[in-house]
Amino acid sequence: MDAKEILREDISNFAFRLEAMTIDEVFEAMSLLEKHSEDQVSDRDETLSRITLVEEEIERRFPGQKLAPYRDWKQDQPLLS
């Protein structure tokens, strides 16, 4: 999966798929979208809307923890540094 695949997918399908993803898959999707949003891209608004969906899914799974679990996961990924 890459950011462009996520962005090509219908947003309602992506939201539905997020619910079924493992937490690692959710975090990976967030990482891909974040990286993509940092590039000079014409689809920034679409990217940010997908990031919002992933943030909501993380909050649903980790109530009250904001994005702390994602930040912890990201620190543990040696290739993301």
Side-chain angles (χ1 to χ4, degrees), residues 3 8 24 26 28 30 33 38 44 50 52 57-58 62 64 71 76-77:
R8 278 192 297 265
D24 283 330
V26 171
E28 178 67 22
M30 177 64 107
L33 290 167
E38 293 167 359
R44 185 172 310 270
R50 308 286 169 136
T52 299
E57 181 62 21
I58 293 170
F62 300 96
R71 287 189 299 273
D76 291 340
Q77 303 303 306

Side-chain angles (χ1 to χ4, degrees), residues 42-75:
S42 61
D43 55 6
R44 185 172 310 270
D45 289 340
E46 190 64 29
T47 302
L48 294 176
S49 70
R50 308 286 169 136
I51 287 173
T52 299
L53 283 176
V54 178
E55 287 174 346
E56 290 170 355
E57 181 62 21
I58 293 170
E59 176 63 24
R60 186 184 70 76
R61 294 181 187 207
F62 300 96
Q65 295 184 45
K66 307 263 181 207
L67 293 177
Y70 170 66
R71 287 189 299 273
D72 293 344
W73 174 87
K74 199 171 171 182
Q75 287 182 336

